[in-house]
């Protein structure tokens, strides 16, 4: 998945103008912001509660029906609101964006649910199938109509179709789970979960605000072309977040099990190994990027993005902080301490917002990443303060 996303973003850099790339970046970032709601309300409770439960079947049904209801609500809201946005989008682009958001919502839920059950081979098979379908579709369009025919709208429709088709095998098993019952009282059964997930929702929203809020900010104040410039510098690092996501899907239920069994040494050892692994990985990757930069700059940026190297350097540091902080945040989530983690991200989002306002006032959009750097540093220190003194004093909370 990392290689695929990396190749796709590089291809879009060469094919598209900075305006088109900026528009795609806005929609791609918006999809993550929408998914953070799903992550807080459905997938994180699934990853934390189901692996640690002695009777997980009622939880599975409750969260499955919760996901179905949230997907239907999302689809209705998108169809109502997207045509009303003041961006001058065509109806076709609005429908393509709605299809992309909904198909991604469905796919990410299925991938997270199966990862929480430690069934990783079906996820790998589905990912490879999705990549193959997308590659075949975009090649067919390019050969028949030319590569210039692949615009933002066409790309979104193609991604939506490939995400839906590759999810069909996992979706079949999801339908069997839904047929087993639980639809009548799922909301009452979800109420205990909501007591924790509401804080997870706050934390997820503020995390997305501090990490991707700059996209909406510079899009509103400086335009899509500037978004394209800033996001172009992130191209080499964005796909690396897939690795973080993959690690989190496996580590979160594993850490939840260790926490539920009071195995603190193993719990903290796995957490530290994750943080150290991401630290070393980012250092090696950034070093390789620096050594190959003259060639990369000429091949992918040329004269279209002058001064991009400074943006790339900032993203290298921001990505390192994001990955290390993410490994420790996962450990705090596995302890079911969502309220405390939410406070960390609230402070991070406020700091990020303050930096963005200052950037807007001095009219220097190349400094927007400083908001991400400041927020990630603050949240990392806060999370370490939460986790390290906890040890055996932290008892598992019941939902």
């Amino acid at each position: 998945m990392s290689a695929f996303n990396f190749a796709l973003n590089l291809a879009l850099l060469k094919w598209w103008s900075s305006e088109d790339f900026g528009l795609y970046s806005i929609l791609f970032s918006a999809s993550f912001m929408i998914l953070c709601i799903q992550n807080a309300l459905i997938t994180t409770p699934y990853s934390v509660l189901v692996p640690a439960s002695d009777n997980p079947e009622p939880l599975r049904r409750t969260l499955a029906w919760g996901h179905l209801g949230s997907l239907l609500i999302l689809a209705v809201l998108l169809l109502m609101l997207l045509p009303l946005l003041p961006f001058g989008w065509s109806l076709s682009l609005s429908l393509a964006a709605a299809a992309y958001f909904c198909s991604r919502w469905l796919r990410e839920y299925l991938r997270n649910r199966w990862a929480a059950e430690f069934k990783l081979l079906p996820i790998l098979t589905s990912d490879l199938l999705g990549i193959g379908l997308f590659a075949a579709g975009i090649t067919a369009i390019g050969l028949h109509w030319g590569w210039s025919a692949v615009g933002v709208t066409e790309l979104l429709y193609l991604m939506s179709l490939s995400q839906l088709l590759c999810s069909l095998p996992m979706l079949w098993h999801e339908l069997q789970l839904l047929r087993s019952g639980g639809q009548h009282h799922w909301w009452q059964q979800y109420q205990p979960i909501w007591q924790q997930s509401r804080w997870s929702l706050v934390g997820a929203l503020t995390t997305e605000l501090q990490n991707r809020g700059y996209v909406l900010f510079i899009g509103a104040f400086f335009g899509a072309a500037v978004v394209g410039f800033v996001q172009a510098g992130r191209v080499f690092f964005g796909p690396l977040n897939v690795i973080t996501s993959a690690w989190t899907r496996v580590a979160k239920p594993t850490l939840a099990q260790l926490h539920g069994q009071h195995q603190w040494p193993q719990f903290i050892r796995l957490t530290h190994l994750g943080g150290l692994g991401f630290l070393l990985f980012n250092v090696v990757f950034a070093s390789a990027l620096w050594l190959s930069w003259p060639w990369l700059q000429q091949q992918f940026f040329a004269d279209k993005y002058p001064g991009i190297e400074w943006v790339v350097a900032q993203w290298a540091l921001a990505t390192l902080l994001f990955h290390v902080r993410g490994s420790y945040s996962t450990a705090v989530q596995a302890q079911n301490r969502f309220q405390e983690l939410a406070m960390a991200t609230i402070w991070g989002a406020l700091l990020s917002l303050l930096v963005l306002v200052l950037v807007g006032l001095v009219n220097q959009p190349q400094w927007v990443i400083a908001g991400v750097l400041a927020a990630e540093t603050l949240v990392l220190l806060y999370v370490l303060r939460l986790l390290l003194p906890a040890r055996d004093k932290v008892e598992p909370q019941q939902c």
Side-chain angles (χ1 to χ4, degrees), residues 38 74 171 277 344 346 366:
Q38 180 199 77
L74 174 67
L171 184 58
I346 288 172
Q366 69 271 22

Side-chain angles (χ1 to χ4, degrees), residues 149-349:
V150 183
V152 178
T153 301
E154 291 75 19
L155 185 74
L156 292 177
Y157 275 128
L158 186 56
M159 294 180 76
S160 302
L161 183 60
S162 60
Q163 288 178 149
L164 181 60
L165 291 177
C166 74
S167 300
L168 288 179
M170 290 190 290
L171 184 58
W172 170 256
H173 292 279
E174 182 70 11
L175 293 176
Q176 303 307 307
L177 178 61
L178 292 171
R179 287 176 180 174
S180 65
Q183 69 270 30
H184 299 298
H185 305 289
W186 76 268
W187 177 245
Q188 289 84 353
Q189 295 166 346
Y190 183 81
Q191 288 300 309
I193 301 174
W194 169 249
Q195 300 306 313
Q196 291 296 327
S197 63
R198 60 182 178 177
W199 288 108
S200 179
L201 178 61
V202 173
L205 290 172
T206 51
T207 297
E208 288 300 313
L209 180 62
Q210 77 181 37
N211 285 328
R212 294 188 176 87
Y214 71 90
V215 173
L216 303 180
F217 179 86
I218 59 179
F221 282 86
F222 301 109
V226 178
V227 175
F229 174 76
V230 174
Q231 291 298 92
R234 196 180 188 180
V235 162
F236 296 106
F237 305 100
L240 300 184
N241 295 333
V242 176
I243 300 174
T244 310
S245 178
W247 184 86
T248 300
R249 286 190 179 100
V250 178
K252 193 181 295 181
T254 303
L255 289 169
Q257 280 188 336
L258 294 174
H259 179 61
Q261 298 166 2
H262 305 283
Q263 299 183 31
W264 175 260
Q266 294 89 336
F267 180 95
I268 200 63
R269 180 175 179 271
L270 178 58
T271 302
H272 285 323
L273 284 175
L276 179 61
F278 282 121
L279 175 64
L280 295 176
F281 176 79
N282 276 271
V283 170
V284 171
F285 184 84
S287 299
L289 191 62
W290 179 71
L291 291 173
S292 57
W293 180 251
W295 181 83
L296 292 172
Q297 197 276 338
Q298 181 61 34
Q299 290 295 317
F300 298 105
F301 299 110
D303 298 327
K304 191 163 59 172
Y305 297 95
I308 195 67
E309 59 275 359
W310 173 239
V311 177
V312 173
Q314 292 180 78
W315 277 124
L317 181 56
T319 304
L320 185 150
L321 290 171
F322 174 75
H323 286 179
V324 175
R325 190 270 302 164
S327 65
Y328 286 97
S329 294
T330 299
V332 177
Q333 290 177 16
Q335 292 177 316
N336 221 6
R337 301 169 67 191
F338 295 108
Q339 182 175 354
E340 296 166 279
L341 188 59
M343 292 305 302
T345 57
I346 288 172
W347 285 111

